[in-house]
Amino acid sequence: MHSDRTPEQEERSYRRRRKAVSLCSLLGLIGVFLFITFTFGSRILTFASDPEGFRAWAQGQGILGRLALIGIQVLQVVVAIMPGEVVEIAAGFTFGAWEGLLLCLTGSVLGSIIIYGFTRRFGVKMVEAFISREKMDSLKFIHNSRKLELLIFFLFLIPGTPKDVITYFIGLTPMKLKTFLVLSTIARIPSVISSTMGGNAMGLQDYRLAIIVFAITVLVSSIGLLIYTCIVKKHNGKH
């Protein structure tokens, strides 16, 4: 089925999709924050004065607290505008480094499945609604890579790369969902555990360790982002 629309009409349609998704994403974020505020607001206010007490209370919420964290992580992956590190630090602070890691990875897997399913079903137009054409163009080298699995593992292993943006592109490649989930989940572990460890240190009020972990994470992420930028420029012929 081909389209008889002119380039100008296609551009206007693209802009409308972008605006609609941006509005829905914003409303979704507002909805989540309002829910958290009205449900846990009074307890969150105790964080500054009694972080240890808040941590104990949050851990005592049982499955509800875990599901809420997973839901926020899914939203973070799908919306792709929220910084993942914030959610990961909160997970580490609330549930500890290792449980926080497990919850974040679970949310990432669920979010990736959602994105993969939608991109397979609706194709590039769906992706363009979430990711700008400029970013899409910069990632075209992924689709043309002869060593796709190795490249994806490497990109998800490097701290600082736009993993959620790359996730949107995966559904446009020949890679199978199972393969992508295994590679990306394993590769995410070092980056996520560093954030949950820092959050856990904050929960234990070991601020010296937290500062050290976050400083190392920022340094490594900056190096990773530089490496990613060089990879993109190299594959797109921009020297």
Side-chain angles (χ1 to χ4, degrees), residues 1 3 5 10 13-15 17-18 21 115-140 143 165 167-173:
M1 181 178 179
S3 174
R5 291 187 295 184
E10 287 286 353
S13 177
Y14 164 70
R15 298 294 178 187
R17 291 196 302 270
R18 292 280 295 168
V21 168
I115 293 173
Y116 188 93
F118 272 101
T119 53
R120 284 289 191 182
R121 174 64 179 82
F122 298 105
V124 68
K125 288 188 176 182
M126 184 271 179
V127 178
E128 285 181 345
F130 287 84
I131 308 300
S132 69
R133 285 181 176 175
E134 292 76 16
K135 288 184 178 179
M136 286 285 293
D137 290 339
S138 72
L139 292 174
K140 283 183 178 179
H143 190 278
V165 174
T167 299
Y168 271 93
F169 202 85
I170 296 301
L172 305 177
T173 72

Side-chain angles (χ1 to χ4, degrees), residues 22-195:
S22 297
L23 178 59
C24 290
S25 299
L26 178 60
L27 292 176
L29 286 173
I30 293 174
V32 169
F33 289 131
L34 287 177
F35 172 78
I36 293 174
T37 299
F38 285 111
T39 306
F40 307 112
S42 60
R43 290 288 182 174
I44 292 176
L45 291 176
T46 68
F47 166 66
S49 59
D50 186 16
E52 188 174 347
F54 174 81
R55 176 183 167 106
W57 171 83
Q59 290 176 343
Q61 295 304 299
I63 190 65
L64 178 62
R66 274 77 177 174
L67 290 176
L69 191 282
I70 291 174
I72 293 173
Q73 179 68 8
V74 170
L75 180 65
Q76 185 274 320
V77 172
V78 173
V79 173
I81 59 174
M82 300 168 57
E85 291 77 12
V86 174
V87 181
E88 294 160 7
I89 291 171
F93 173 87
T94 307
F95 301 110
W98 295 106
E99 186 176 1
L101 168 67
L102 179 60
L103 294 172
C104 287
L105 291 179
T106 300
S108 295
V109 167
L110 294 176
S112 297
I113 292 173
I114 293 172
I115 293 173
Y116 188 93
F118 272 101
T119 53
R120 284 289 191 182
R121 174 64 179 82
F122 298 105
V124 68
K125 288 188 176 182
M126 184 271 179
V127 178
E128 285 181 345
F130 287 84
I131 308 300
S132 69
R133 285 181 176 175
E134 292 76 16
K135 288 184 178 179
M136 286 285 293
D137 290 339
S138 72
L139 292 174
K140 283 183 178 179
F141 71 90
I142 294 178
H143 190 278
N144 299 325
S145 175
R146 288 175 294 179
K147 298 180 179 179
L148 182 59
E149 289 81 5
L150 180 61
L151 176 62
I152 293 304
F153 181 82
F154 184 66
L155 291 177
F156 274 79
L157 182 65
I158 300 175
T161 59
K163 298 176 178 61
D164 299 326
V165 174
I166 296 172
T167 299
Y168 271 93
F169 202 85
I170 296 301
L172 305 177
T173 72
M175 181 175 287
K176 294 182 179 180
L177 175 60
K178 181 179 179 181
T179 302
F180 170 61
L181 292 179
V182 171
L183 291 175
S184 61
T185 300
I186 295 174
R188 283 180 187 269
I189 291 176
S191 176
V192 177
I193 192 61
S194 65
S195 296

